[in-house]
Amino acid sequence: MFITGRVGNSLVISVIMVALVSAIGGLVYGVTIPTHTLPAMLVTLAVGAFSFSCLGFALAALIPTADAAPAVVTNATVLPLYFLSGVFIPENEISSGVLTFADVFPVRHFFQAMFTAWNPNTTGAGFELGDLAIVAAWGVLGLVVALRYFRWEPRR
């Protein structure tokens, strides 16, 4: 129940953040919000919130102390994956080998799915089902690891 609650909390916070950033983008910068792909964006956001929350619990189960958590989660996993996946650096400036490596992980697939759903030039519904399936598979793997190994007390 705790994991379910945290995943639900993550989803609510994600929706609020996207709504807030979208409102600021629309009001301050005149950004057009693509409403025709809104269902795809919401599904992508839900799959991402579920998956990354579950992966966070899985990592928490494997990290030995609370002091080590920020270094492991942020510095050793998330930030490198952002750079390798084309989140911070345009894809045309990243070698194909690096992108192929990044394709193994969920960050790139979430980014691709969200980019398609949020792009005002997207035709159709905006769903990237292949990318969403990979992100969801990582989430299920994280959930299985979390349910098996997550403990309230750190490992000694």
Side-chain angles (χ1 to χ4, degrees):
M1 291 309 293
F2 177 74
I3 292 174
T4 302
R6 293 298 298 174
V7 169
N9 180 55
S10 175
L11 179 59
V12 169
I13 297 297
S14 297
V15 169
I16 291 170
M17 288 175 59
V18 167
L20 183 62
V21 169
S22 299
I24 292 170
L27 294 172
V28 176
Y29 298 104
V31 173
T32 303
I33 309 301
T35 56
H36 69 285
T37 56
L38 190 60
M41 192 273 298
L42 291 173
V43 168
T44 301
L45 197 60
V47 170
F50 160 77
S51 295
F52 292 114
S53 292
C54 290
L55 287 169
F57 274 108
L59 271 175
L62 303 175
I63 298 171
T65 66
D67 292 334
V72 172
V73 173
T74 304
N75 299 338
T77 58
V78 176
L79 282 177
L81 286 175
Y82 285 166
F83 282 100
L84 298 176
S85 298
V87 174
F88 293 144
I89 302 171
E91 286 182 16
N92 60 356
E93 295 181 20
I94 302 173
S95 73
S96 62
V98 170
L99 291 175
T100 300
F101 176 77
D103 277 337
V104 173
F105 300 100
V107 171
R108 177 158 170 75
H109 296 282
F110 176 75
F111 172 69
Q112 294 287 87
M114 186 60 87
F115 186 80
T116 299
W118 199 246
N119 187 344
N121 298 322
T122 297
T123 57
F127 286 97
E128 289 290 345
L129 297 179
D131 288 320
L132 289 175
I134 291 169
V135 175
W138 272 93
V140 169
L141 175 65
L143 179 62
V144 168
V145 171
L147 290 174
R148 173 70 176 98
Y149 296 105
F150 179 78
R151 301 287 178 262
W152 289 106
E153 296 296 321
R155 294 178 187 267
R156 303 251 181 243

